[in-house]
Amino acid sequence: MASFSVIGGTSSEDLAKKIASKLKSKFIKCDLRVFPDGESKITLEGIPKGKVIVVQSIYPPVDSNLIRALALVSQARKHSSQVFVVIPYLGYARQDRAFLPGEVITMELVAKMFKAAGASKIIVVDIHSMIALDHLQIPATNVSAVGELVKYFKKLRLKDPLIVSPDKGGIERARNFANIFGVDFIALEKHRDRKTGEVTIKSTDHHEVKGRDLILVDDMISTGGSIMKAAQYLKKQKCGKVYACCTHALLIGDAEKKIKKAGVTKIVSTNSIPCKTNNVDISPIIVKALV
Ligand code: R5P
């Protein structure tokens, strides 16, 4: 196996330690100080050797975690010609196209910055859309956590489980989840107001959910609006238990509370973003993509 050094950015230190341990590689911790004006000052607590892996998820505060990721890549490049960047949650991936006239496609800039900083390859997990990945101008791999999430749910005793995507955009994810699980899936019809962000479920009848335990599958839970509205709708259809499952649990503000109030039994997520709903470790699938 190639010799690696794994730099654990402060947003992903635990995950980076797990990756380093699986690769039997040197782990380098980062010390972070934030100056009064908001600038980040990072100090590596070790010298990288061999190929370097930088692990830094770009979740809130997105702009700070982004500049820290870029700074780490730039520093790593001074020690190695091969710098692999693991960004489990890639902030700005949703800004991959213009929905309204004049909207800036900021993902294009993010892609240019990683190339300029010296990244050789980027590894992301369940990116919001492949269009975002296409903006990257260096080799990039999107790793799917769906198989790991399914393993978690297979251990639960669910009543006649059915996979539900809260929107048509998530249909492929739900289909993939359902195929691995060996059960059926459906997709609801969701509408999001592009100006206010407000979500409504347009679906009418879904009698097939009656009495069944449901797993609502999404790539991310941000404000919780999509899952909350979907769960409220499904409960009205007299389903059994509703589980919310996602790769990236951003859980902004009172998202968790809103989701629970809508009748969701449990939120299950991966450690792409460290939080208390993490039940699934993605280090094994990241390691597979690295070697
Ligand atoms: C949308 O297309 C995404 O797949 C998620 O459904 C969405 O980003 C979740 O956001 P929120 O939790 O704010 O509804």
Side-chain angles (χ1 to χ4, degrees), residues 4 8 10 16 22 28 107 112 129 151 164 169 178 183 217 225 250:
F4 288 109
T10 50
K22 288 190 171 66
I28 300 175
M107 186 56 220
K112 282 183 200 158
S129 88
K151 277 187 210 162
V164 183
V183 297
V217 177
L250 287 158

Side-chain angles (χ1 to χ4, degrees), residues 117-137:
S120 317
K121 181 175 178 169
I122 294 188
I123 292 165
V124 294
V125 182
D126 288 330
I127 194 158
H128 179 66
S129 88
M130 295 311 273
I131 298 172
L133 207 66
D134 289 344
H135 288 301
L136 294 169
Q137 300 161 2

Side-chain angles (χ1 to χ4, degrees), residues 94 128 167 190 192 218-226:
R94 282 185 289 181
H128 179 66
D167 53 44
K190 178 182 100 176
R192 187 190 290 276
D218 214 339
D219 57 337
M220 70 181 82
I221 302 178
S222 179
T223 64
S226 305

Side-chain angles (χ1 to χ4, degrees), residues 2 4 50-53 76-77 79-84 118-121:
F4 288 109
K51 294 180 182 176
V52 181
I53 300 167
R77 196 66 176 76
H79 297 273
S80 176
S81 59
Q82 281 192 289
V83 179
F84 301 122
S120 317
K121 181 175 178 169

Side-chain angles (χ1 to χ4, degrees), residues 7-216:
I7 300 178
T10 50
S11 68
S12 297
E13 196 179 298
D14 284 348
L15 180 61
K17 274 186 194 156
K18 287 189 171 81
I19 292 171
S21 147
K22 288 190 171 66
L23 289 169
K24 299 193 179 14
S25 298
K26 178 175 178 173
F27 171 74
I28 300 175
K29 188 178 157 64
C30 296
D31 178 67
L32 172 69
R33 276 173 65 200
V34 179
F35 288 153
D37 66 354
E39 274 178 32
S40 297
K41 176 161 177 71
I42 309 168
T43 308
L44 298 191
E45 297 186 351
I47 299 165
K49 286 197 177 73
K51 294 180 182 176
V52 181
I53 300 167
V54 171
V55 189
Q56 168 85 347
S57 215
I58 302 179
Y59 57 81
V62 166
D63 291 344
S64 296
N65 279 329
L66 170 62
I67 197 79
R68 290 166 195 166
L70 291 163
L72 290 174
V73 172
S74 170
Q75 183 66 13
R77 196 66 176 76
K78 293 180 186 163
H79 297 273
S80 176
S81 59
Q82 281 192 289
V83 179
F84 301 122
V85 196
V86 176
I87 311 173
Y89 175 73
L90 176 60
Y92 285 106
R94 282 185 289 181
Q95 296 193 46
D96 57 0
R97 69 200 100 167
F99 291 100
L100 298 173
E103 281 181 355
V104 177
I105 304 169
T106 305
M107 186 56 220
E108 283 176 351
L109 171 68
V110 172
K112 282 183 200 158
M113 290 196 293
F114 275 103
K115 187 177 182 191
S120 317
K121 181 175 178 169
I122 294 188
I123 292 165
V124 294
V125 182
D126 288 330
I127 194 158
H128 179 66
S129 88
M130 295 311 273
I131 298 172
L133 207 66
D134 289 344
H135 288 301
L136 294 169
Q137 300 161 2
I138 51 173
T141 303
N142 179 47
V143 172
S144 170
V146 169
E148 302 300 303
L149 290 160
V150 170
K151 277 187 210 162
Y152 177 87
F153 281 98
K154 281 216 164 179
K155 290 187 199 135
L156 304 184
R157 283 194 191 169
L158 302 177
K159 193 177 164 201
D160 196 10
L162 180 69
I163 311 307
V164 183
S165 170
D167 53 44
K168 300 283 181 203
I171 206 157
E172 279 317 312
R173 186 176 310 108
R175 190 197 309 277
N176 186 22
F177 197 109
N179 282 344
I180 300 173
F181 205 131
V183 297
D184 289 334
F185 77 96
I186 58 167
L188 304 182
E189 195 129 353
K190 178 182 100 176
H191 171 76
R192 187 190 290 276
D193 186 301
R194 292 266 165 227
K195 288 226 164 88
T196 64
E198 208 196 322
V199 168
T200 39
I201 299 294
K202 295 280 178 205
S203 297
T204 49
D205 287 337
H206 271 293
H207 297 304
E208 68 270 50
V209 306
K210 195 171 175 191
R212 299 172 76 173
D213 286 347
L214 308 177
I215 307 173
L216 267 168

